[in-house]
Amino acid sequence: MSRSPAGAGPQPGREIHPLDSAGLTCRFCAAPLRDTFADLGMTPLCQKQVKPSQLNDAETYYPLHAFVCASCWLVQLGEYASPREIFADEYAYFSSYSDTWLAHAKAYTGKMRGLLGLGASSLVVEIASNDGYLLQYFVEAGVPVLGVEPAANVAEAARAKGVPTEVRFFGTESARALRDAHGGADLLLGNNVLAHVPDLNDFVAGMCIMLNPAGVITMEFPHLVQLVNQNQFDTIYHEHFSYFSFTTVEKVFAAHGITLFDVEELPTHGGSLRIYGRHCDDRPVSDRVRELKAREEAWGVRSLARYHAFNEQLRATKRNILSFLIEARGAGKRVAGYGAPGKGNTLLNYCGIGTDFLEFTVDRSPHKQNTFTPGMRIPIYAPERIRLARPDYLFILPWNLKEEIMRQTAYIREWGGRWVVPIPEVTVHE
């Protein structure tokens, strides 16, 4: 987001937030932003767990207020915290601690090797490659790879797996340097990174530079339509600067000379898209692209009313979550959490859920254990804590992994424990 020209004021009849007076403009098309999509108040950064030595320290809170651009329909947050503040140095998210996500990554690598004929003379480049969770499978198959990861501690974990990794933020400048040093990419991919960049135009232009003439881009990201339909307000957090429909993402890539020629709808993260791009040419675009665009149009992707309604929808979801917790705790039931994901911290802070409702949470990642959640300061332990505490309810914060978590914690049935999944609506599983 940037600042809009002087004199561009709010329009009558629209829900306006006081931040509108700051004159924010769309990070893609620079149109004025005046329409609220979701206002989640003020929250700390979602992956900045609090160490025991920091419990008496203040945290910095930032606005978590998403707007929709009435010109290009990009949903977006302001850049209240820079990517360097969020991702550089010690970053707490490691992709390899989810078995479901590793299986997804391995299946993708096999598919792309077959589809594109990737081999020993190819180069696969992943932007935001994290701890090598995906590129390790290309390495095993003898396909040369390069990871590009801004968080130094996470990149070190990737290198330990034998995945060559450069510690960089990606954009036009770094793309030129990487291409000069390593060559162009035959496959350029990014999973859940497109939303993480405030300078969207520079990022996509960098991909155009990095991609070989006959190369293919794939990007995966949560689908805005599913975010709305499934009440996934907790996927809004400061790491995610943008939220995409296919209609909008196609415009973004086309503006930089990339044609999106195919798309897949995936179950990951509550409903994601995998887009396929190439340098503009005359080859056909798949029927799946045309069909998805038609469905988005029917859904109301270019209707402000569709976006305005979400803010009240998320408030209703908040009330339902709190009603369940108030009733459970009032009945003397013990409630513990499972997971400490970014989405979970949005939910906890927006709903005001502290240790009065959730005694503790657990996480498989040792990088999060024995710390506290940002904002609400809920203690995070290793999963073994569940057996010791024997809670009546296990509140699953990474609801997109609920099947995996329920399999791993099936033992809670021994004492009559049940699982609670808060999104899209509060559901109790026995």
Side-chain angles (χ1 to χ4, degrees):
M1 289 183 184
S2 56
R3 301 295 174 186
S4 66
Q11 297 181 7
R14 289 178 170 173
E15 182 180 353
I16 305 301
H17 189 281
L19 286 173
D20 181 75
S21 62
L24 300 173
T25 59
C26 176
R27 63 172 36 92
F28 169 56
C29 72
L33 293 175
R34 299 169 180 150
D35 293 276
T36 290
F37 173 68
D39 186 355
L40 296 161
M42 302 284 289
T43 71
L45 299 179
C46 69
Q47 294 288 3
K48 297 293 185 182
Q49 278 71 36
V50 178
K51 298 176 182 178
S53 62
Q54 299 171 322
L55 278 175
N56 292 326
D57 298 341
E59 293 178 78
T60 302
Y61 281 63
Y62 303 89
L64 194 56
H65 180 205
F67 293 88
V68 60
C69 174
S71 178
C72 69
W73 308 105
L74 178 65
V75 172
Q76 56 203 281
L77 294 176
E79 188 183 346
Y80 303 112
S82 72
R84 198 161 297 278
E85 289 176 83
I86 297 170
F87 300 109
D89 301 323
E90 291 295 318
Y91 184 59
Y93 178 70
F94 287 69
S95 297
S96 293
Y97 288 104
S98 167
D99 297 337
T100 301
W101 189 242
L102 287 176
H104 174 76
K106 188 171 186 178
Y108 166 86
T109 59
K111 176 176 182 174
M112 299 310 292
R113 283 168 50 216
L115 186 65
L116 302 180
L118 299 171
S121 61
S122 308
L123 179 63
V124 176
V125 178
E126 182 177 10
I127 307 169
S129 50
N130 201 262
D131 60 1
Y133 74 101
L134 184 149
L135 291 180
Q136 64 183 332
Y137 300 117
F138 280 121
V139 171
E140 288 175 4
V143 180
V145 304
L146 176 66
V148 184
E149 169 56 46
N153 65 313
V154 181
E156 190 56 38
R159 293 189 187 114
K161 295 175 182 173
V163 177
T165 305
E166 294 257 9
V167 178
R168 288 178 180 266
F169 286 97
F170 189 81
T172 54
E173 183 179 347
S174 59
R176 292 188 186 97
L178 290 167
R179 187 176 182 108
D180 288 344
H182 302 279
D186 300 297
L187 172 61
L188 180 61
L189 72 117
N191 289 341
N192 303 304
V193 61
L194 194 61
H196 288 66
V197 289
D199 194 341
L200 185 60
N201 287 310
D202 182 67
F203 185 82
V204 178
M207 286 194 280
C208 192
I209 292 168
M210 193 72 204
L211 187 67
N212 276 339
V216 169
I217 291 170
T218 72
M219 289 272 138
E220 295 181 25
F221 49 85
H223 191 191
L224 176 66
V225 171
Q226 294 303 322
L227 187 157
V228 173
N229 289 349
Q230 302 297 322
N231 289 329
Q232 296 166 358
F233 71 88
D234 55 344
T235 60
I236 300 171
Y237 44 88
H238 296 105
E239 290 183 17
H240 292 169
F241 294 98
S242 303
Y243 305 81
F244 297 97
S245 63
F246 186 86
T247 299
T248 295
V249 81
E250 184 183 49
K251 291 179 182 177
V252 173
F253 277 80
H256 298 281
I258 298 292
T259 296
L260 299 187
F261 65 90
D262 202 0
V263 61
E264 293 179 80
E265 295 176 80
L266 307 171
T268 52
H269 295 284
S272 296
L273 298 181
R274 177 188 289 155
I275 56 173
Y276 291 76
R278 61 178 180 240
H279 291 291
C280 289
D281 58 27
D282 295 329
R283 284 180 290 175
V285 171
S286 77
D287 289 339
R288 291 193 292 195
V289 166
R290 288 185 286 271
E291 191 271 337
L292 179 56
K293 287 171 67 177
R295 277 194 284 123
E296 287 189 347
E297 188 69 24
W299 176 81
V301 71
R302 293 190 286 186
S303 166
L304 280 174
R306 167 62 77 177
Y307 298 92
H308 287 165
F310 185 65
N311 206 42
E312 182 51 42
Q313 182 177 315
L314 67 89
R315 291 169 181 167
T317 305
K318 170 182 177 175
R319 290 191 289 267
N320 291 338
I321 292 170
L322 286 174
S323 293
F324 168 81
L325 291 171
I326 290 169
E327 182 177 344
R329 295 296 283 155
K333 302 296 185 182
R334 299 187 67 186
V335 186
Y338 193 104
K343 60 169 57 72
N345 287 318
T346 290
L347 187 149
L348 295 173
N349 282 281
Y350 175 61
C351 295
I353 298 170
T355 52
D356 49 346
F357 288 126
L358 210 64
E359 294 182 28
F360 62 88
T361 192
V362 302
D363 201 278
R364 289 180 67 187
S365 172
H367 304 280
K368 296 183 180 182
Q369 293 166 10
N370 301 312
T371 65
F372 297 80
T373 64
M376 300 314 298
R377 307 288 180 95
I378 296 171
I380 306 169
Y381 300 120
E384 291 74 23
R385 185 79 175 201
I386 296 169
R387 285 190 181 276
L388 294 174
R390 299 169 69 90
D392 299 291
Y393 293 108
L394 198 58
F395 195 87
I396 299 177
L397 291 165
W399 43 260
N400 54 305
L401 301 175
K402 60 181 182 292
E403 289 87 2
E404 175 183 334
I405 292 167
M406 289 169 69
R407 286 195 303 270
Q408 292 172 352
T409 59
Y411 56 82
I412 70 172
R413 292 193 178 103
E414 297 170 8
W415 59 82
R418 294 183 286 177
W419 297 272
V420 181
V421 180
I423 301 294
E425 59 184 7
V426 176
T427 306
V428 178
H429 299 263
E430 298 189 0

